[in-house]
Amino acid sequence: MLRITDILDKTQSYLTPADQEMIEKAYVFSATVHQGQTRLSGEPYLTHPMEVAGILADMKLDAATIITGLLHDTVEDTLTTTEQIEAAFGRDVSFLVEGLTKISKITFGSQEERQAENFRKMILAMSADLRILIVRLADRMHNMRTLNFQPREKQRYIATETLELYAPLANRLGINWMKVELEDLSFLYLHSDAYHEIARRIDKKKEQREQYTEEVRGIIAKEIAKYGLRGDVEGRAKHFYSIYTKMNSQRIDFDEVYDLIAFRIILDANKDKECYEALSIVHALWKPVPGRFKDRIAMPKANGYRSLHTTVIGPYGERVEIQIRTRQMHEWAEEGIAAHWRYKERRVDLGSDDQQIMKLRELLEVQQEVQNPREFMANLKLALFPDEVYVFTPGGDVKSFPKGATPIDFAYSIHTDVGNQCIGARVNRSIVPLKYELQNGDTVEIITQAGHHPGKDWLKWAVTSRARSKIKNWIKAEESKRSIEIGREILEREFRKQNLRFSQFLRSDEFKKICEEQNIATPDDLMALIGYGRISAKHIVNRFAPETGVKAEEAAVDRGRKKPKGVASLGISLTGIEDVLVRFAHCCDPIPGDEIVGYISRGRGITIHTSQCANLQELDAERFVEVSWNIKEKQTYPVDILVICQDKKGVIAEVSSVISSLDINISHAEVETTQDLRAICNFRVDVHDLGEFNRMVAAIKKVKCVLSIERTKKS
Ligand code: MN
């Protein structure tokens, strides 16, 4: 069992005594809270955090990371709180432990393969600081090393998760040794027969292979030394899982021992130039296999990996794979981000045009100025991975969205109907508003209601193009539905006026003819065209009763005040709808300048109200349409005012003359005198717009004896 002194020995060379003291303190803390707990192996539970801390110390990570290794299971498995950890070890450590507690709750389970990438991204996104992920990988590494104590089922489950999630994550961070070990251990538990078969075959020719390895190694070493290059040459068997995948993807002959060996030249000097020199030495020695050379120095991998790769025809006519790199490149290749973390004071030159690497490089260049390690890691993560949020469906699938996405985006990602009928959402079991911004790791459940539909606000909250286009489509379809409704009402009304039956018309040959003439497919299309004002209803009706058309129109005069007119002549514009039947509501008598709304009335086209009109509240909200004033020719609009004044002789005449002096016509006046000697005067006047009306009110106010003036509201 690893002891705390072992960990302190590992860290002594690079950590301060104060850091070491904190690690010791964390050890005591962890031992205390895990006391009495045991692992399946029968060992005290403490062995696990100790081994994890040991792995992190071997990677020469900073004190906070090692302390986090010691404490990583305390919040999850004991009564310890994050607050206690913060009080004892500071914010940095408690932040890391909190992050680990969070990601330990993500379980991949028996997800389908296609989900794996989303899960990986989610874990990355939730590792707000990459040290969280590194500790998680060390945690998984020790659990994999001790997997034999788990029951069979659990072994398969954990091994699958490791192979699908954690080995690729180790690879993405460039930590090759972890990737290799995690893959081989997973392979052992998932395909143990194949694993042991490969092990047996490799072992069988061990002596022969070692002899061969030594021979090739010697030739290369001698040759590069001859040209004055200093470095080491390694030859080793590839890891089992890579042999296994190679066996599955291409024919591999086990009798050819060379197929299992890869050679590596590691040059001492930190010079790219020497790698290319070594390459030309090897190529002069043995004939290169065409198409097998890869320049990963000029074009590094996204995780920062750099090396030259080549395959040559070796001394026995066999294919020999060779990697060439500097010691610094080697360090990065094996330890990736962890190596960078350790040598953050040292500049790592990544040299490449690759965009991601460029970003990484920029960060490495500025990082000397960034004192806060968390900020640096957050930046690094942002540079490596796009800014997305990952959330769970109630079924445990992961979905990714751009940052800022809301439950509306989530709902439309499931199905258009779910989106359209979405009325709210439950996130982590509590109700949130539709504009709630999704957070990493949220479990999102959409609440729908049949018959519900998108609101205009939704376009403000939806960020995915899918959701936005679905909402727009719905609004467009709704507008066309409305114009069909309006068109039908207009047409039915015209038919009624002529005492003609609308249903008969729809079945008539004349109707078919009209449709053919206008190139219309369905009755609804015709109604829509009438609703939009592209076809005149009168024109259609006249084909049935041409001689009475005009007369009937006059009969429609509404209370003798104003006959219904087309939109244009009333000086109104309607959003998306032209030339439909329009009338002004008498309850509020809108005049230009008033804020107005339209209401689709049954059988009478659209009625215009002021938006303050009290009657609006009783109307069906579904039937409102947006309208605005669009004055084409000056005309007057009637409006009622109530003037209360002291009942004195001549005062009414005076008010009347003030109105007339402004060139405003009074079409109606009514005066009533009360017991308390006040005169209540009702005037109906014709004004051009609200400005004129207001000027009139101001003028009347100046008349002595006038007590109050108001625009009459009827309800
Ligand atoms: Mn653990």
Side-chain angles (χ1 to χ4, degrees), residues 413-552:
S413 78
I414 300 170
H415 193 274
T416 307
D417 289 344
V418 176
N420 283 341
Q421 305 188 350
C422 162
I423 56 163
R426 240 175 247 121
V427 167
N428 307 328
R429 294 206 191 85
S430 32
I431 303 271
V432 298
L434 285 177
K435 62 180 176 187
Y436 168 85
E437 242 182 60
L438 299 177
Q439 303 295 313
N440 275 311
D442 280 350
T443 299
V444 184
E445 195 185 334
I446 296 298
I447 308 166
T448 59
Q449 194 181 74
H452 195 76
H453 53 74
K456 269 186 194 142
D457 293 348
W458 289 23
L459 285 174
K460 280 188 276 181
W461 302 328
V463 303
T464 54
S465 52
R466 180 185 162 83
R468 294 184 64 82
S469 77
K470 296 286 180 191
I471 296 167
K472 281 180 188 157
N473 281 349
W474 192 90
I475 291 172
K476 223 170 112 191
E478 192 56 19
E479 267 176 10
S480 103
K481 226 162 78 194
R482 251 177 200 168
S483 56
I484 291 169
E485 207 174 317
I486 293 167
R488 178 180 288 271
E489 276 165 12
I490 294 167
L491 195 58
E492 267 179 351
R493 187 167 171 273
E494 289 296 322
F495 272 84
R496 261 202 316 277
K497 283 191 305 197
Q498 305 289 341
N499 288 323
L500 294 168
R501 284 179 61 193
F502 185 65
S503 55
Q504 260 169 13
F505 156 73
L506 289 178
R507 287 194 299 269
S508 67
D509 290 341
E510 189 66 18
F511 171 69
K512 278 182 201 147
K513 236 164 92 189
I514 291 168
C515 290
E516 271 167 36
E517 281 167 26
Q518 304 282 348
N519 214 359
I520 291 163
T522 68
D524 275 356
D525 292 345
L526 176 69
M527 303 310 159
L529 287 173
I530 293 169
Y532 280 130
R534 308 245 163 81
I535 296 178
S536 142
K538 241 183 302 173
H539 167 79
I540 290 169
V541 174
N542 285 350
R543 291 175 65 153
F544 289 81
E547 71 286 354
T548 53
V550 180
K551 225 172 129 195

Side-chain angles (χ1 to χ4, degrees), residues 566-581:
V567 183
S569 62
L570 284 180
I572 302 279
S573 181
L574 295 180
T575 325
I577 303 166
E578 294 160 33
D579 205 25
V580 295
L581 210 60

Side-chain angles (χ1 to χ4, degrees), residues 45 48 72-73 139:
Y45 192 85
H48 171 63
H72 78 273
D73 279 331
D139 178 28

Side-chain angles (χ1 to χ4, degrees), residues 300-453:
K301 286 191 191 176
N303 64 14
Y305 174 89
R306 302 176 74 217
S307 274
L308 299 177
H309 291 191
T310 187
T311 303
V312 296
I313 305 297
Y316 302 99
E318 79 288 9
R319 287 172 163 233
V320 183
E321 288 177 31
I322 301 171
Q323 298 171 344
I324 302 166
R325 50 174 74 151
T326 65
R327 206 161 287 287
Q328 206 178 61
M329 291 174 197
H330 181 58
E331 211 161 70
W332 181 276
E334 283 301 300
E335 303 186 43
I337 245 159
H340 165 71
W341 181 246
R342 184 192 326 156
Y343 294 113
K344 57 184 177 188
E345 74 283 357
R346 209 164 77 188
R347 202 164 126 181
V348 182
D349 185 15
L350 286 161
S352 148
D353 295 333
D354 187 304
Q355 207 196 346
Q356 251 186 353
I357 294 300
M358 286 293 279
K359 276 193 272 180
L360 194 70
R361 259 176 86 189
E362 270 170 44
L363 274 164
L364 295 177
E365 275 158 22
V366 300
Q367 56 99 9
Q368 267 115 336
E369 298 142 40
V370 181
Q371 289 306 306
N372 180 350
R374 186 173 319 140
E375 190 186 322
F376 170 68
M377 284 310 239
N379 287 342
L380 185 60
K381 203 189 73 169
L382 257 168
L384 287 172
F385 314 106
D387 214 6
E388 290 186 322
V389 286
Y390 299 90
V391 297
F392 287 110
T393 66
D397 281 357
V398 175
K399 281 176 176 285
S400 74
F401 294 94
K403 217 168 187 153
T406 60
I408 297 172
D409 296 296
F410 186 96
Y412 278 103
S413 78
I414 300 170
H415 193 274
T416 307
D417 289 344
V418 176
N420 283 341
Q421 305 188 350
C422 162
I423 56 163
R426 240 175 247 121
V427 167
N428 307 328
R429 294 206 191 85
S430 32
I431 303 271
V432 298
L434 285 177
K435 62 180 176 187
Y436 168 85
E437 242 182 60
L438 299 177
Q439 303 295 313
N440 275 311
D442 280 350
T443 299
V444 184
E445 195 185 334
I446 296 298
I447 308 166
T448 59
Q449 194 181 74
H452 195 76
H453 53 74

Side-chain angles (χ1 to χ4, degrees), residues 166-218:
Y166 291 102
L169 282 171
N171 183 45
R172 206 175 295 192
L173 296 189
I175 311 173
N176 187 58
W177 73 268
M178 271 191 164
K179 174 200 165 223
V180 164
E181 192 176 337
L182 289 175
E183 277 180 353
D184 273 357
L185 284 167
S186 303
F187 177 41
L188 168 63
Y189 287 97
L190 290 174
H191 306 281
S192 78
D193 289 349
Y195 180 96
H196 290 297
E197 178 64 10
I198 289 173
R200 194 184 59 77
R201 288 186 173 187
I202 285 178
D203 203 47
K204 209 172 108 190
K205 303 212 170 176
K206 195 173 176 204
E207 209 171 298
Q208 208 181 329
R209 206 185 63 234
E210 275 172 0
Q211 211 180 343
Y212 166 80
T213 306
E214 203 42 51
E215 183 186 344
V216 172
R217 218 184 57 79

